[in-house]
Amino acid sequence: MPKLNLETKDKAQELIKAYLETNASDVLAQKINEGVRIHKDGKTLVNKKTLDGFMVYAADEAKKTADKEANSAYIDDSTVYGWAIHYFEEDTVEGTLYNEDGAEYKPPKPVTPAKPATTYTPPAPKPKPQMSLFELIEEQKPENAPNVPEQKTEEVTNDTPPDEELSAEEQREILEEIAANDIESPAVQPQGSPFYQRYMQIQNKYPDHIVAFKRGEFYEVLGKNAEWFAKELSLPLSERDCGFLERVPMVGVPIHAVDIYIAKAVQKGLKIAVADSLGEVKELPKPAAEQSKGSSIYQQYMNAQSKYPDYIVAYRLGDFYEIFGEKAKQFACELDLTLTGRDCGLPERVPMVGFPCHAANTYFAKAVNKGLKVAVFDSPGDNSIELYEPKQALPTEPEKHWIDERTYIDNDGIVHDIETETEETAPAFDMSAFDTEALAKLDELFGEIIDLR
């Protein structure tokens, strides 16, 4: 168990430290004890985190889960411990920054840019009021044209004098009319960062899956899927800048623990598409077409088992012989061996029993003596096979002819003393220890007996 250089100030911090020391990997322990080098403001800095910093981080996370206008929030222990792992594991979470010489880093003060000098711009001249029809006629009238008496006509007036400003409502109506007559070009929407675009390409290809994309030392899930993933596995939800106006929800899982979290997600019924940095994708759980077949070794094993249905097929894999499935259960039960399991590309692990090659003959002999048939393959896909079968007449236990409570003679004439564990060949042995009845039994079995008394 790694020792962590974390200072505790109260009972809560002691519990967090104890959990980290019990569950932190060697990589995480090194991060906590030595800090992590990051680049900021053009410098290489050391990012170190403390339990005081985590308590502030945990309080902020708790506020996010609380109802609006609530003064408190209930957070279970597993969630808080998950926050602790994320806080100390995630390199983007800043603790206290130090220069490489050990001095605490002080960020440079922001420089306020000088305001540019303003220049006077004269107002644009107002347009001349539109001339009326009569003014145009009067302007074009020739000098020698006869005077025509003016006819009374109804005076045409505009509701809005030229020099009077339009109301806000009138301006809105004019703008709406202009907008209706103009064809606006569609606004260019941001596409996001290159990483986000690659992530969405995979997500679109696997719409029913939650995509976990490898990025550095983490696997990341983005968007709505991140919210579901974090909720199902009680993980802290954070955000990432993906080139949009708003940050995108994100949850990250360290590489060394990704198998554990993905296994939990699959157990909860989630479909996961795991993508590495090269874009190679692995679906979990595997598609039904692949699940029905299993791994290549398992398929070869089952093919051999189908050819020898009455035998227990034993495959040599490396330095061990292995037996799978129901035959493994039978073999382990008869020989009192430990039954384990192997991942064979199926939804569940396949029962398996194995034993080292150097002891294989012993196990095969025991199996034959138990009445089992064994078909032994030296390697997967190899046609060479050796069959072990029980003998037609198995040796039986020697018959015992009891002379008294401690002595018996077998069919080969061997006298056995069960107390002294001695053996002698009859009939040439001292008969003084036997009574008349016993001697009669010996005579009946072996004929003439030499009495040495």
Side-chain angles (χ1 to χ4, degrees), residues 71-112:
N71 296 325
S72 62
Y74 171 77
I75 310 296
D76 55 33
D77 292 346
S78 61
T79 301
V80 176
Y81 292 143
W83 288 346
I85 293 291
H86 180 77
Y87 174 77
F88 287 99
E89 183 75 65
E90 177 61 67
D91 295 342
T92 59
V93 178
E94 289 188 4
T96 304
L97 301 181
Y98 295 89
N99 294 311
E100 292 186 289
D101 59 2
E104 185 174 350
Y105 172 70
K106 302 296 183 182
K109 295 181 179 180
V111 179
T112 304

Side-chain angles (χ1 to χ4, degrees), residues 424-430 450 452:
E424 295 186 48
T425 303
F429 64 100
D430 185 2
I450 303 174
L452 302 180

Side-chain angles (χ1 to χ4, degrees), residues 224-278:
K224 285 291 183 183
N225 284 342
E227 298 176 0
W228 296 335
F229 196 82
K231 180 180 178 181
E232 291 292 339
L233 274 68
S234 300
L235 292 174
L237 184 68
S238 58
E239 297 175 337
R240 175 174 288 285
D241 182 5
C242 293
F244 298 104
L245 297 179
E246 297 182 357
R247 295 171 66 88
V248 176
M250 184 273 289
V251 63
V253 177
I255 290 178
H256 64 79
V258 68
D259 291 339
I260 298 174
Y261 287 104
I262 289 179
K264 290 181 179 179
V266 171
Q267 289 177 358
K268 289 181 175 290
L270 301 178
K271 294 181 179 180
I272 310 296
V274 184
D276 60 21
S277 55
L278 299 178

Side-chain angles (χ1 to χ4, degrees), residues 57-67 73 75 83 237-239:
Y57 173 83
D60 291 339
E61 293 296 321
K63 291 178 182 177
K64 296 177 183 178
T65 64
D67 297 332
I75 310 296
W83 288 346
L237 184 68
S238 58
E239 297 175 337

Side-chain angles (χ1 to χ4, degrees), residues 162-173:
D163 294 338
E164 184 179 342
E165 293 185 0
L166 299 175
S167 66
E169 181 66 22
E170 291 170 333
Q171 292 179 10
R172 184 182 64 79
E173 292 178 355

